[in-house]
Amino acid sequence: MVTTGLHRWTRLGGTRLRADRLVEDSRCPMNARCVWAGRATVRLTLRDGSRTRQANVTLGESIPVAGGQLALVSVTPEKMAGAQPKRRAPYRFTFEYRPR
């Protein structure tokens, strides 16, 4: 597993990846009750050797990469209902690589 922020390259398995932007964050706030858990989706740039591609990955789902699966396993900070801090902590994304 590896945790990274936006616009930072990191390596996981045989793939380099960079979280380019948060496409969607409709997660249920941690201090609320929701009918639907919501989603968080991140746009990635992936480099497998000389091949570069972009892909979206959604929290709790995986995408195929370099002989395995890349999963987005957590997104922080958690959303909160009610008053928000003036300055939010930057997003952090945790990815897991599962070989086939």
Coordinates of all heavy atoms in Angstrom, one line a residue:
M1 N 0.8 -1.2 0.0 CA 0.0 0.0 0.0 C 0.9 1.2 0.0 O 2.0 1.2 0.5 CB -0.9 0.0 1.2 CG -2.2 -0.7 1.0 SD -3.4 -0.3 2.3 CE -3.3 -1.8 3.2
V2 N 0.3 2.3 -0.6 CA 1.0 3.6 -0.6 C 0.0 4.7 -0.4 O -1.1 4.6 -1.0 CB 1.9 3.7 -1.9 CG1 1.0 3.8 -3.1 CG2 2.8 4.9 -1.8
T3 N 0.4 5.7 0.3 CA -0.5 6.9 0.5 C 0.2 8.1 -0.2 O 1.4 8.3 0.1 CB -0.8 7.2 1.9 OG1 -1.4 6.0 2.5 CG2 -1.7 8.4 2.1
T4 N -0.6 8.9 -0.9 CA 0.0 10.0 -1.6 C -1.0 11.2 -1.7 O -2.2 10.9 -1.5 CB 0.5 9.6 -3.0 OG1 1.2 10.7 -3.6 CG2 -0.7 9.2 -3.9
G5 N -0.5 12.3 -2.0 CA -1.4 13.5 -2.2 C -1.5 13.8 -3.7 O -1.0 13.1 -4.5
L6 N -2.2 14.9 -4.0 CA -2.4 15.3 -5.3 C -1.1 15.7 -5.9 O -0.3 16.4 -5.3 CB -3.4 16.5 -5.4 CG -4.9 16.1 -5.2 CD1 -5.7 17.3 -5.1 CD2 -5.4 15.2 -6.3
H7 N -0.9 15.4 -7.2 CA 0.2 15.9 -8.0 C 1.6 15.4 -7.6 O 2.6 16.0 -7.9 CB 0.2 17.4 -8.1 CG -1.1 18.0 -8.4 ND1 -1.8 17.8 -9.6 CD2 -1.9 18.8 -7.7 CE1 -2.9 18.5 -9.6 NE2 -3.1 19.0 -8.4
R8 N 1.6 14.3 -6.9 CA 2.9 13.7 -6.5 C 3.0 12.3 -7.1 O 2.1 11.4 -6.9 CB 2.9 13.6 -5.0 CG 2.8 14.9 -4.3 CD 3.1 14.8 -2.8 NE 2.9 16.0 -2.1 CZ 3.8 17.0 -2.0 NH1 5.0 16.9 -2.6 NH2 3.5 18.1 -1.4
W9 N 4.2 12.0 -7.7 CA 4.4 10.7 -8.3 C 4.8 9.7 -7.1 O 5.5 10.1 -6.2 CB 5.6 10.8 -9.3 CG 5.2 11.4 -10.6 CD1 5.4 12.6 -11.0 CD2 4.4 10.7 -11.6 NE1 4.8 12.8 -12.3 CE2 4.2 11.6 -12.6 CE3 3.9 9.4 -11.8 CZ2 3.6 11.3 -13.8 CZ3 3.2 9.1 -12.9 CH2 3.0 10.1 -13.9
T10 N 4.4 8.5 -7.3 CA 4.8 7.4 -6.3 C 4.8 6.1 -7.1 O 4.3 6.1 -8.2 CB 3.8 7.4 -5.1 OG1 4.3 6.5 -4.2 CG2 2.4 6.9 -5.5
R11 N 5.4 5.1 -6.5 CA 5.5 3.8 -7.2 C 4.8 2.8 -6.4 O 4.9 2.7 -5.2 CB 7.0 3.4 -7.4 CG 7.2 2.1 -8.1 CD 8.6 1.8 -8.4 NE 9.3 2.8 -9.2 CZ 9.2 2.8 -10.6 NH1 8.4 2.0 -11.2 NH2 9.8 3.7 -11.3
L12 N 4.0 1.9 -7.1 CA 3.3 0.8 -6.4 C 3.3 -0.3 -7.4 O 2.9 -0.2 -8.5 CB 1.9 1.2 -6.1 CG 1.1 0.3 -5.3 CD1 1.7 0.0 -4.0 CD2 -0.3 0.8 -5.1
G13 N 3.9 -1.5 -6.9 CA 4.1 -2.6 -7.9 C 5.1 -2.1 -8.9 O 6.1 -1.5 -8.6
G14 N 4.8 -2.4 -10.2 CA 5.7 -2.0 -11.3 C 5.2 -0.7 -11.9 O 5.6 -0.4 -13.0
T15 N 4.3 0.0 -11.3 CA 3.6 1.1 -11.9 C 3.9 2.4 -11.1 O 3.9 2.4 -9.9 CB 2.1 0.9 -11.9 OG1 1.8 -0.3 -12.7 CG2 1.4 2.1 -12.6
R16 N 4.2 3.5 -11.9 CA 4.3 4.8 -11.2 C 2.9 5.4 -11.4 O 2.3 5.3 -12.4 CB 5.3 5.7 -11.9 CG 6.7 5.2 -11.6 CD 7.8 6.1 -12.1 NE 7.7 7.3 -11.4 CZ 8.0 8.5 -11.9 NH1 8.4 8.7 -13.1 NH2 7.9 9.6 -11.1
L17 N 2.4 6.1 -10.4 CA 1.1 6.8 -10.5 C 1.2 8.1 -9.8 O 2.0 8.4 -8.9 CB 0.1 5.9 -9.8 CG 0.1 5.6 -8.3 CD1 -0.8 6.6 -7.6 CD2 -0.3 4.2 -8.1
R18 N 0.2 9.0 -10.3 CA 0.1 10.3 -9.8 C -1.4 10.6 -9.8 O -2.1 10.5 -10.7 CB 0.8 11.3 -10.7 CG 0.7 12.8 -10.2 CD 1.3 13.8 -11.2 NE 0.5 13.8 -12.4 CZ 1.0 14.1 -13.6 NH1 2.3 14.4 -13.8 NH2 0.2 14.1 -14.7
A19 N -1.9 11.1 -8.6 CA -3.3 11.5 -8.5 C -3.4 12.9 -9.0 O -2.8 13.8 -8.5 CB -3.7 11.4 -7.0
D20 N -4.1 13.1 -10.1 CA -4.1 14.4 -10.8 C -5.2 15.3 -10.3 O -5.0 16.5 -10.1 CB -4.3 14.2 -12.3 CG -3.1 13.5 -12.9 OD1 -2.0 13.8 -12.5 OD2 -3.3 12.7 -13.9
R21 N -6.4 14.7 -10.0 CA -7.5 15.5 -9.4 C -8.6 14.6 -8.9 O -8.7 13.5 -9.2 CB -8.1 16.4 -10.5 CG -8.8 15.8 -11.6 CD -9.3 16.8 -12.6 NE -10.0 16.2 -13.7 CZ -11.3 16.0 -13.8 NH1 -12.1 16.5 -12.9 NH2 -11.8 15.4 -14.9
L22 N -9.3 15.2 -8.0 CA -10.5 14.6 -7.4 C -11.6 14.8 -8.3 O -12.0 16.0 -8.5 CB -10.8 15.1 -6.0 CG -11.9 14.4 -5.2 CD1 -11.5 13.0 -4.8 CD2 -12.2 15.2 -4.0
V23 N -12.2 13.8 -8.9 CA -13.3 13.9 -9.9 C -14.6 14.1 -9.2 O -15.4 14.9 -9.6 CB -13.3 12.7 -10.9 CG1 -14.5 12.8 -11.8 CG2 -12.0 12.6 -11.6
E24 N -14.8 13.3 -8.1 CA -16.0 13.3 -7.4 C -15.8 13.0 -5.9 O -14.9 12.1 -5.6 CB -17.0 12.2 -7.9 CG -18.3 12.1 -7.2 CD -19.2 11.0 -7.7 OE1 -18.8 10.3 -8.6 OE2 -20.2 10.8 -7.0
D25 N -16.4 13.7 -5.0 CA -16.4 13.3 -3.6 C -17.8 13.6 -3.0 O -18.1 14.6 -2.6 CB -15.4 14.1 -2.8 CG -15.2 13.6 -1.4 OD1 -15.9 12.7 -1.0 OD2 -14.4 14.2 -0.6
S26 N -18.6 12.5 -3.2 CA -20.0 12.6 -2.7 C -20.2 11.7 -1.5 O -21.3 11.2 -1.2 CB -21.0 12.2 -3.8 OG -20.7 10.9 -4.2
R27 N -19.1 11.4 -0.8 CA -19.1 10.5 0.4 C -20.0 11.1 1.5 O -20.1 12.3 1.7 CB -17.7 10.3 1.0 CG -16.8 9.6 0.1 CD -15.4 9.6 0.7 NE -14.8 10.9 0.8 CZ -13.9 11.3 1.6 NH1 -13.3 10.4 2.4 NH2 -13.5 12.5 1.6
C28 N -20.7 10.2 2.2 CA -21.5 10.6 3.3 C -20.6 11.1 4.4 O -19.6 10.5 4.7 CB -22.3 9.3 3.8 SG -23.3 9.7 5.3
P29 N -20.9 12.3 5.0 CA -20.1 12.8 6.1 C -20.0 11.8 7.3 O -21.0 11.1 7.6 CB -20.9 14.1 6.6 CG -21.6 14.5 5.3 CD -22.0 13.2 4.7
M30 N -18.9 11.7 7.9 CA -18.7 10.7 8.9 C -19.6 10.9 10.2 O -19.8 10.0 10.9 CB -17.2 10.6 9.4 CG -16.7 11.9 10.0 SD -14.9 11.8 10.4 CE -14.9 10.6 11.7
N31 N -20.1 12.1 10.4 CA -20.9 12.4 11.5 C -22.4 12.5 11.1 O -23.2 13.2 11.8 CB -20.4 13.7 12.3 CG -20.5 14.9 11.4 OD1 -20.5 14.8 10.1 ND2 -20.5 16.1 12.0
A32 N -22.8 11.9 10.1 CA -24.2 11.9 9.6 C -24.6 10.5 9.2 O -23.8 9.6 9.1 CB -24.3 12.8 8.3
R33 N -25.9 10.3 9.1 CA -26.5 9.1 8.7 C -27.0 9.3 7.3 O -27.8 10.2 7.0 CB -27.7 8.6 9.6 CG -27.2 8.2 10.9 CD -28.3 7.7 11.7 NE -27.8 7.4 13.0 CZ -28.5 6.7 13.9 NH1 -29.8 6.4 13.7 NH2 -28.0 6.5 15.1
C34 N -26.6 8.4 6.4 CA -27.0 8.6 5.0 C -27.6 7.3 4.4 O -27.2 6.2 4.9 CB -25.8 8.9 4.1 SG -24.9 10.5 4.6
V35 N -28.5 7.4 3.5 CA -29.1 6.3 2.8 C -28.1 5.7 1.9 O -28.0 4.5 1.7 CB -30.3 6.7 2.0 CG1 -30.9 5.6 1.2 CG2 -31.4 7.3 3.0
W36 N -27.2 6.5 1.3 CA -26.2 6.1 0.3 C -24.8 6.5 0.8 O -24.6 7.6 1.3 CB -26.5 6.8 -1.0 CG -25.7 6.4 -2.2 CD1 -25.5 5.2 -2.7 CD2 -24.9 7.3 -3.0 NE1 -24.6 5.2 -3.7 CE2 -24.2 6.5 -4.0 CE3 -24.7 8.7 -3.0 CZ2 -23.4 7.1 -4.9 CZ3 -23.9 9.2 -3.9 CH2 -23.2 8.4 -4.9
A37 N -23.8 5.6 0.7 CA -22.5 5.9 1.2 C -21.8 6.9 0.4 O -20.9 7.6 0.8 CB -21.7 4.6 1.2
G38 N -22.2 7.1 -0.9 CA -21.5 8.1 -1.8 C -20.3 7.5 -2.4 O -20.0 6.3 -2.2
R39 N -19.6 8.3 -3.2 CA -18.4 7.8 -3.9 C -17.3 8.9 -3.8 O -17.6 10.1 -3.7 CB -18.7 7.7 -5.4 CG -19.8 6.6 -5.7 CD -20.3 6.7 -7.1 NE -19.4 7.1 -8.1 CZ -19.1 6.4 -9.2 NH1 -19.7 5.3 -9.4 NH2 -18.3 6.9 -10.1
A40 N -16.1 8.4 -4.0 CA -14.9 9.3 -4.2 C -14.2 8.7 -5.4 O -13.8 7.5 -5.4 CB -14.0 9.3 -3.0
T41 N -13.9 9.5 -6.4 CA -13.3 9.1 -7.6 C -12.1 10.0 -7.9 O -12.2 11.2 -7.8 CB -14.2 9.1 -8.8 OG1 -15.3 8.3 -8.6 CG2 -13.6 8.6 -10.1
V42 N -10.9 9.4 -8.2 CA -9.7 10.1 -8.5 C -9.2 9.9 -9.9 O -9.3 8.7 -10.4 CB -8.6 9.7 -7.5 CG1 -7.3 10.4 -7.7 CG2 -9.1 9.9 -6.1
R43 N -8.8 10.9 -10.6 CA -8.2 10.8 -11.9 C -6.7 10.6 -11.7 O -6.0 11.4 -11.1 CB -8.4 12.1 -12.7 CG -7.9 12.1 -14.1 CD -8.6 11.1 -15.0 NE -8.3 11.4 -16.4 CZ -8.9 10.8 -17.3 NH1 -9.8 9.9 -17.1 NH2 -8.6 11.0 -18.6
L44 N -6.2 9.5 -12.3 CA -4.7 9.1 -12.2 C -4.0 9.2 -13.5 O -4.6 9.0 -14.6 CB -4.6 7.7 -11.7 CG -5.2 7.3 -10.4 CD1 -5.1 5.8 -10.2 CD2 -4.6 8.1 -9.3
T45 N -2.7 9.5 -13.5 CA -1.8 9.3 -14.6 C -1.0 8.1 -14.2 O -0.4 8.0 -13.1 CB -0.9 10.5 -14.9 OG1 -1.8 11.6 -15.3 CG2 0.0 10.2 -16.0
L46 N -0.9 7.0 -15.0 CA -0.2 5.8 -14.7 C 0.9 5.6 -15.8 O 0.7 5.8 -17.0 CB -1.2 4.6 -14.8 CG -2.4 4.7 -13.9 CD1 -3.4 3.7 -14.4 CD2 -2.0 4.4 -12.5
R47 N 2.1 5.2 -15.3 CA 3.2 4.9 -16.2 C 3.6 3.5 -15.9 O 4.1 3.1 -14.8 CB 4.4 5.8 -15.9 CG 4.1 7.2 -16.5 CD 5.4 8.0 -16.4 NE 5.1 9.4 -16.9 CZ 5.8 10.4 -16.6 NH1 6.9 10.3 -15.8 NH2 5.5 11.6 -17.0
D48 N 3.5 2.6 -16.9 CA 3.9 1.2 -16.9 C 5.1 1.2 -17.9 O 4.8 1.0 -19.1 CB 2.8 0.3 -17.3 CG 1.6 0.3 -16.4 OD1 1.8 0.6 -15.2 OD2 0.5 0.1 -16.9
G49 N 6.3 1.2 -17.5 CA 7.4 1.2 -18.4 C 7.4 2.5 -19.3 O 7.4 3.6 -18.8
S50 N 7.3 2.3 -20.6 CA 7.2 3.5 -21.5 C 5.8 3.9 -21.8 O 5.6 4.9 -22.5 CB 8.0 3.1 -22.8 OG 7.3 2.1 -23.4
R51 N 4.8 3.2 -21.3 CA 3.4 3.5 -21.6 C 2.8 4.4 -20.5 O 2.9 4.1 -19.3 CB 2.6 2.2 -21.7 CG 1.2 2.4 -22.2 CD 0.6 1.0 -22.3 NE -0.7 1.1 -21.7 CZ -1.4 0.2 -21.1 NH1 -0.8 -1.0 -21.0 NH2 -2.6 0.4 -20.6
T52 N 2.2 5.5 -20.9 CA 1.5 6.4 -20.0 C 0.0 6.5 -20.4 O -0.3 6.6 -21.6 CB 2.1 7.8 -20.1 OG1 3.5 7.8 -19.7 CG2 1.4 8.8 -19.1
R53 N -0.8 6.4 -19.4 CA -2.3 6.5 -19.6 C -2.9 7.2 -18.4 O -2.4 7.3 -17.4 CB -2.9 5.2 -19.9 CG -2.9 4.2 -18.7 CD -3.5 2.9 -19.1 NE -3.3 1.9 -18.0 CZ -4.3 1.4 -17.3 NH1 -5.6 1.8 -17.6 NH2 -4.1 0.6 -16.3
Q54 N -4.2 7.6 -18.7 CA -5.0 8.2 -17.6 C -6.1 7.3 -17.3 O -6.6 6.6 -18.2 CB -5.4 9.6 -17.9 CG -4.3 10.6 -18.0 CD -4.8 12.0 -18.1 OE1 -5.7 12.3 -18.8 NE2 -4.2 12.9 -17.3
A55 N -6.6 7.2 -16.1 CA -7.7 6.4 -15.7 C -8.3 7.0 -14.4 O -7.7 7.6 -13.6 CB -7.2 5.0 -15.4
N56 N -9.6 6.7 -14.3 CA -10.3 7.1 -13.0 C -10.4 5.8 -12.2 O -10.7 4.7 -12.7 CB -11.7 7.6 -13.3 CG -11.7 8.9 -14.0 OD1 -10.7 9.6 -14.0 ND2 -12.9 9.3 -14.5
V57 N -10.2 6.0 -10.9 CA -10.4 4.9 -10.0 C -11.3 5.4 -8.8 O -11.2 6.5 -8.3 CB -9.1 4.3 -9.4 CG1 -8.3 5.3 -8.6 CG2 -9.3 3.0 -8.6
T58 N -12.3 4.5 -8.4 CA -13.3 4.9 -7.4 C -13.0 4.2 -6.1 O -12.6 3.0 -6.2 CB -14.7 4.6 -8.0 OG1 -14.9 5.4 -9.1 CG2 -15.8 4.9 -6.9
L59 N -13.2 4.8 -5.0 CA -13.0 4.2 -3.7 C -13.7 2.9 -3.6 O -14.9 2.8 -3.9 CB -13.5 5.2 -2.6 CG -13.3 4.8 -1.2 CD1 -11.8 4.7 -0.9 CD2 -14.0 5.8 -0.3
G60 N -13.0 1.9 -3.2 CA -13.5 0.5 -3.1 C -13.6 -0.3 -4.3 O -14.0 -1.4 -4.3
E61 N -13.1 0.3 -5.4 CA -13.0 -0.4 -6.7 C -11.6 -0.5 -7.2 O -10.7 0.1 -6.6 CB -13.9 0.3 -7.7 CG -15.4 0.3 -7.3 CD -16.2 1.0 -8.4 OE1 -15.7 1.4 -9.4 OE2 -17.4 1.2 -8.1
S62 N -11.4 -1.3 -8.2 CA -10.0 -1.5 -8.7 C -10.0 -1.4 -10.2 O -11.0 -1.5 -10.9 CB -9.4 -2.8 -8.2 OG -10.1 -3.9 -8.7
I63 N -8.8 -1.1 -10.8 CA -8.6 -1.0 -12.2 C -7.4 -1.9 -12.6 O -6.5 -2.1 -11.7 CB -8.4 0.4 -12.7 CG1 -7.2 1.0 -12.0 CG2 -9.6 1.2 -12.5 CD1 -6.8 2.4 -12.6
P64 N -7.4 -2.5 -13.8 CA -6.2 -3.3 -14.2 C -5.0 -2.5 -14.5 O -5.1 -1.4 -15.1 CB -6.7 -4.0 -15.4 CG -7.8 -3.2 -16.0 CD -8.4 -2.4 -14.8
V65 N -3.8 -2.9 -13.9 CA -2.5 -2.3 -14.2 C -1.5 -3.4 -14.2 O -1.6 -4.3 -13.4 CB -2.2 -1.2 -13.2 CG1 -3.1 0.0 -13.3 CG2 -2.1 -1.7 -11.8
A66 N -0.5 -3.2 -15.0 CA 0.8 -4.0 -15.0 C 0.7 -5.4 -14.3 O 1.3 -5.6 -13.3 CB 1.9 -3.2 -14.4
G67 N -0.1 -6.3 -14.8 CA -0.2 -7.6 -14.3 C -0.9 -7.8 -13.0 O -0.8 -8.7 -12.3
G68 N -1.8 -6.8 -12.7 CA -2.6 -6.9 -11.4 C -3.7 -5.9 -11.4 O -4.2 -5.4 -12.4
Q69 N -4.1 -5.6 -10.2 CA -5.2 -4.6 -10.0 C -4.8 -3.5 -9.0 O -4.1 -3.8 -8.0 CB -6.4 -5.4 -9.3 CG -7.1 -6.4 -10.2 CD -7.9 -5.8 -11.4 OE1 -8.6 -4.8 -11.2 NE2 -7.7 -6.3 -12.6
L70 N -5.1 -2.3 -9.3 CA -4.8 -1.2 -8.5 C -6.2 -0.7 -7.9 O -7.1 -0.4 -8.6 CB -4.2 0.0 -9.3 CG -4.0 1.3 -8.5 CD1 -2.8 1.1 -7.6 CD2 -3.7 2.4 -9.5
A71 N -6.2 -0.7 -6.5 CA -7.5 -0.3 -5.8 C -7.2 1.0 -5.0 O -6.2 1.2 -4.4 CB -7.9 -1.4 -4.9
L72 N -8.2 1.8 -5.0 CA -8.3 3.0 -4.1 C -8.9 2.5 -2.8 O -10.1 2.2 -2.8 CB -9.0 4.1 -4.8 CG -9.2 5.4 -3.9 CD1 -7.9 6.0 -3.5 CD2 -10.1 6.4 -4.7
V73 N -8.2 2.5 -1.7 CA -8.7 1.9 -0.5 C -9.1 2.9 0.6 O -9.9 2.6 1.5 CB -7.8 0.8 0.1 CG1 -7.7 -0.3 -0.8 CG2 -6.4 1.4 0.4
S74 N -8.6 4.2 0.5 CA -9.1 5.2 1.4 C -8.8 6.6 0.9 O -7.9 6.8 0.1 CB -8.5 5.1 2.8 OG -7.2 5.5 2.8
V75 N -9.7 7.5 1.3 CA -9.5 8.9 0.9 C -9.7 9.7 2.2 O -10.6 9.5 3.0 CB -10.6 9.4 -0.1 CG1 -10.5 10.9 -0.3 CG2 -10.5 8.6 -1.4
T76 N -8.7 10.6 2.5 CA -8.8 11.5 3.7 C -8.6 12.9 3.2 O -8.0 13.1 2.2 CB -7.8 11.1 4.8 OG1 -6.5 11.2 4.2 CG2 -8.0 9.7 5.3
P77 N -9.1 13.9 3.9 CA -9.9 13.8 5.2 C -11.3 13.3 4.9 O -11.8 13.4 3.8 CB -9.9 15.2 5.7 CG -9.8 16.1 4.5 CD -9.0 15.3 3.5
E78 N -11.9 12.8 6.0 CA -13.3 12.4 6.0 C -14.1 13.7 5.8 O -13.8 14.7 6.3 CB -13.7 11.7 7.2 CG -13.0 10.3 7.4 CD -13.5 9.3 6.5 OE1 -14.7 9.3 6.0 OE2 -12.7 8.3 6.3
K79 N -15.3 13.5 5.2 CA -16.2 14.7 5.1 C -16.9 14.8 6.4 O -17.2 13.8 7.1 CB -17.2 14.5 4.0 CG -16.5 14.6 2.6 CD -17.5 14.4 1.5 CE -18.2 15.7 1.3 NZ -19.1 15.7 0.1
M80 N -17.3 16.0 6.8 CA -18.0 16.3 8.0 C -19.2 17.1 7.7 O -19.2 18.0 6.9 CB -17.1 17.1 9.0 CG -15.9 16.3 9.5 SD -16.3 15.0 10.6 CE -16.8 15.9 12.1
A81 N -20.3 16.8 8.4 CA -21.6 17.6 8.2 C -21.4 18.9 9.1 O -20.7 18.8 10.1 CB -22.8 16.8 8.6
G82 N -22.1 19.9 8.8 CA -22.1 21.1 9.6 C -21.0 22.1 9.3 O -20.5 22.1 8.2
A83 N -20.6 22.9 10.3 CA -19.6 23.9 10.0 C -18.3 23.3 9.6 O -17.9 22.3 10.1 CB -19.4 24.8 11.3
Q84 N -17.7 23.9 8.6 CA -16.4 23.4 8.1 C -15.3 24.3 8.5 O -15.4 25.5 8.7 CB -16.5 23.4 6.5 CG -17.6 22.5 6.0 CD -17.4 21.0 6.3 OE1 -16.3 20.5 6.2 NE2 -18.5 20.4 6.9
P85 N -14.1 23.7 8.7 CA -12.9 24.5 9.0 C -12.6 25.5 7.9 O -12.9 25.2 6.7 CB -11.8 23.5 9.2 CG -12.3 22.3 8.5 CD -13.7 22.3 8.5
K86 N -12.0 26.6 8.2 CA -11.7 27.6 7.2 C -10.7 27.1 6.2 O -10.8 27.4 5.0 CB -11.1 28.9 7.8 CG -12.1 29.7 8.6 CD -11.6 30.9 9.2 CE -12.6 31.6 9.9 NZ -12.2 32.9 10.5
R87 N -9.8 26.2 6.7 CA -8.8 25.6 5.8 C -8.9 24.1 5.9 O -8.5 23.6 7.0 CB -7.4 26.2 6.1 CG -6.4 25.7 5.1 CD -5.1 26.3 5.3 NE -4.1 25.7 4.5 CZ -3.1 26.3 4.0 NH1 -2.8 27.5 4.4 NH2 -2.3 25.7 3.2
R88 N -9.3 23.4 4.9 CA -9.3 21.9 5.0 C -8.0 21.3 4.8 O -7.1 21.9 4.1 CB -10.2 21.4 3.8 CG -11.7 21.5 4.1 CD -12.4 20.8 3.0 NE -12.1 19.4 3.0 CZ -12.9 18.4 2.7 NH1 -14.1 18.7 2.3 NH2 -12.5 17.2 2.7
A89 N -7.8 20.2 5.4 CA -6.5 19.4 5.2 C -6.5 19.0 3.7 O -7.5 18.7 3.1 CB -6.5 18.3 6.1
P90 N -5.3 18.9 3.1 CA -5.2 18.4 1.7 C -5.7 16.9 1.6 O -5.5 16.2 2.6 CB -3.7 18.5 1.4 CG -3.0 18.7 2.7 CD -4.0 19.2 3.7
Y91 N -6.2 16.6 0.5 CA -6.6 15.2 0.2 C -5.4 14.3 0.2 O -4.3 14.6 -0.3 CB -7.3 15.1 -1.1 CG -8.8 15.5 -1.0 CD1 -9.2 16.7 -1.5 CD2 -9.7 14.6 -0.5 CE1 -10.6 17.0 -1.4 CE2 -11.1 14.9 -0.4 CZ -11.5 16.1 -0.9 OH -12.8 16.5 -0.8
R92 N -5.6 13.1 0.8 CA -4.6 12.0 0.7 C -5.3 10.7 0.3 O -6.5 10.5 0.7 CB -4.0 11.7 2.1 CG -3.4 13.0 2.8 CD -2.1 13.4 2.3 NE -1.1 12.3 2.6 CZ 0.1 12.2 2.1 NH1 0.5 13.0 1.1 NH2 0.9 11.2 2.5
F93 N -4.7 10.0 -0.6 CA -5.3 8.8 -1.2 C -4.4 7.6 -0.9 O -3.2 7.7 -1.1 CB -5.4 9.0 -2.7 CG -6.0 10.3 -3.1 CD1 -5.3 11.4 -3.5 CD2 -7.4 10.4 -3.1 CE1 -5.9 12.6 -3.9 CE2 -8.0 11.6 -3.4 CZ -7.3 12.7 -3.8
T94 N -5.0 6.5 -0.5 CA -4.2 5.3 -0.2 C -4.6 4.3 -1.3 O -5.8 4.0 -1.5 CB -4.5 4.7 1.2 OG1 -4.1 5.7 2.1 CG2 -3.7 3.4 1.4
F95 N -3.6 3.7 -2.0 CA -3.8 2.7 -3.0 C -3.2 1.4 -2.6 O -2.2 1.4 -1.9 CB -3.1 3.2 -4.3 CG -3.7 4.5 -4.9 CD1 -3.1 5.7 -4.5 CD2 -4.8 4.5 -5.7 CE1 -3.6 6.9 -5.0 CE2 -5.4 5.7 -6.2 CZ -4.8 6.9 -5.8
E96 N -3.7 0.3 -3.2 CA -3.2 -1.0 -2.9 C -3.1 -1.7 -4.3 O -3.9 -1.6 -5.1 CB -4.1 -1.8 -2.0 CG -3.7 -3.2 -1.7 CD -4.7 -3.9 -0.8 OE1 -5.9 -3.9 -1.1 OE2 -4.2 -4.4 0.2
Y97 N -1.9 -2.4 -4.5 CA -1.7 -3.2 -5.7 C -1.9 -4.6 -5.3 O -1.3 -5.1 -4.4 CB -0.3 -2.9 -6.2 CG 0.0 -3.8 -7.4 CD1 -0.5 -3.5 -8.7 CD2 0.9 -4.9 -7.3 CE1 -0.2 -4.3 -9.8 CE2 1.2 -5.7 -8.4 CZ 0.6 -5.4 -9.6 OH 0.9 -6.2 -10.7
R98 N -2.7 -5.3 -6.1 CA -2.9 -6.8 -6.0 C -2.4 -7.5 -7.2 O -3.1 -7.3 -8.3 CB -4.4 -7.1 -5.7 CG -4.9 -6.4 -4.4 CD -6.4 -6.7 -4.2 NE -6.9 -5.7 -3.3 CZ -8.0 -5.0 -3.5 NH1 -8.7 -5.2 -4.6 NH2 -8.4 -4.2 -2.7
P99 N -1.3 -8.3 -7.2 CA -0.9 -9.0 -8.4 C -1.9 -10.1 -8.7 O -2.7 -10.6 -7.8 CB 0.4 -9.6 -8.0 CG 0.5 -9.5 -6.5 CD -0.5 -8.5 -6.0
R100 N -2.0 -10.5 -10.0 CA -2.9 -11.5 -10.4 C -2.4 -12.9 -10.0 O -1.4 -13.2 -9.8 CB -3.0 -11.5 -11.9 CG -3.9 -10.4 -12.4 CD -4.1 -10.5 -13.9 NE -4.2 -9.1 -14.4 CZ -3.9 -8.7 -15.6 NH1 -3.5 -9.5 -16.4 NH2 -4.1 -7.5 -15.9

